[in-house]
Amino acid sequence: MIVVAVVGPTATGKSDLALDLAQALGDAPGAVASEIVNADAYQLYRGMDVGTAKVPPAERRGIVHHQLDVLDPTQDASVARYQEAARADLDAIAGRGARALVVGGSGLYVRALLDHMDFPGTDPAVRERLEARAETEGRRALHAELARLDPQAAESIGPHNTRRIVRALEVIEITGLPYTANLPRQEYVRPAVQIGLDCPREVLDARVGSRVDRMWDGGLVDEVRGLASPEQGGTGSGLGVTAARAVGYSEVLAWWRGESTEAEAREAVIANTRRLARKQMGWFGRDPRVHWLDAASPHLLDDALAVVAAADAGTLAVAGTEPVRRSLGS
């Protein structure tokens, strides 16, 4: 059964549409149950609920959700680990004869779940040797070696990014293949269709502002305090490197460090969420397979159901419609 993914910028209503789709698809004649698989990197964390706009259990309409609350905030998220676990969820959902609905705005996680994407391992000894060579021989010497082994990778990385040059050479040595052979391809590992949500920039900005207001009123500051360690300005056991970078959390922590006032922290959350939305739109907007819908349309659910029906019938074009791109301001 075709996997349906609901993607796009934050604050466009992806979670609501996914719930509506799951319910509507389940109520259709001859329908099968739908289960939702999260593809938001920060909703993986237990306790990070308000700041990630996680749908509360009581509002999930009895629909099974996967990949929520699977990590402690002190752990660092791993795309490779997510890929393994979430693909196992897709297998299990298919085995039950149900449909998987993937929902989230973390583009790399969506790609890792749906597309051909390999994650070569690491070899500390190889890495250490290459880093030592970068120190003694210089990064340009290593870049020249990369240009000989994988010209495309060398052109993409450039001669100034030592960390990526070392990683590329490490992958080549470990796998025996060019570094570019391990890069993701826009090729689904199983039948899928992506529905993207977009809306006019001014509407999206207003939605972001309203969302942050709801988060602040809904206890975001207390949530951060309950998660963060005393050293971070809170009372909990701490936030790991990844969790502490999340929009909404990093700004509150900065306020507690004396780097801003509460009002400035709140405005920073709004500004950084809007910046995140632009970044997400840029990521998904480059994927021609996404079928874009207007998030503000009164017929959004019907439009999404039509996309799913066409995908199921095999009548949907391989490439999606042209991106609306209004949230980018163009």
Side-chain angles (χ1 to χ4, degrees), residues 104-121:
S106 298
L108 185 59
Y109 281 67
V110 174
R111 290 288 304 277
L113 179 56
L114 299 181
D115 282 345
H116 284 281
M117 182 183 292
D118 298 322
F119 292 94

Side-chain angles (χ1 to χ4, degrees), residues 152-209:
Q152 185 179 350
E155 182 177 358
S156 172
I157 294 172
H160 303 294
N161 195 327
T162 305
R163 181 183 61 82
R164 291 190 62 199
I165 294 170
V166 166
R167 175 56 179 162
L169 289 172
E170 178 190 18
V171 169
I172 291 171
E173 184 165 339
I174 291 172
T175 65
L177 298 171
Y179 177 70
T180 48
N182 294 281
L183 296 180
R185 307 190 300 274
Q186 287 186 349
E187 181 181 335
Y188 294 135
V189 294
R190 66 184 73 213
V193 61
Q194 295 181 77
I195 297 172
L197 295 187
D198 192 20
C199 59
R201 180 169 182 165
E202 62 275 12
V203 173
L204 183 61
D205 285 349
R207 286 189 178 195
V208 167

Side-chain angles (χ1 to χ4, degrees), residues 8-12 14 40 42 50-53 105 201 203-216 220 245-252 264-281 327:
T10 188
T12 50
K14 296 185 296 297
D40 181 300
Y42 292 111
V50 178
T52 65
R201 180 169 182 165
V203 173
L204 183 61
D205 285 349
R207 286 189 178 195
V208 167
S210 297
R211 169 179 280 194
V212 173
D213 288 342
R214 289 195 302 272
M215 287 178 174
W216 222 267
L220 173 61
R245 286 201 301 258
V247 175
Y249 298 81
S250 64
E251 295 83 0
V252 172
E264 290 169 340
R266 188 167 177 161
E267 287 304 311
V269 175
I270 294 173
N272 290 335
T273 303
R274 288 171 175 165
R275 189 173 297 112
L276 172 64
R278 312 278 188 267
K279 182 178 179 180
Q280 290 170 317
M281 188 59 206
S327 63

Side-chain angles (χ1 to χ4, degrees), residues 7-50:
V7 303
T10 188
T12 50
K14 296 185 296 297
S15 294
D16 289 340
L17 177 59
L19 286 168
D20 289 343
L21 271 175
Q23 201 162 30
L25 291 168
D27 291 340
V32 298
S34 295
E35 301 181 24
I36 291 176
V37 180
N38 166 58
D40 181 300
Y42 292 111
Q43 290 193 13
L44 297 169
Y45 287 107
R46 282 182 283 272
M48 293 179 66
D49 304 327
V50 178

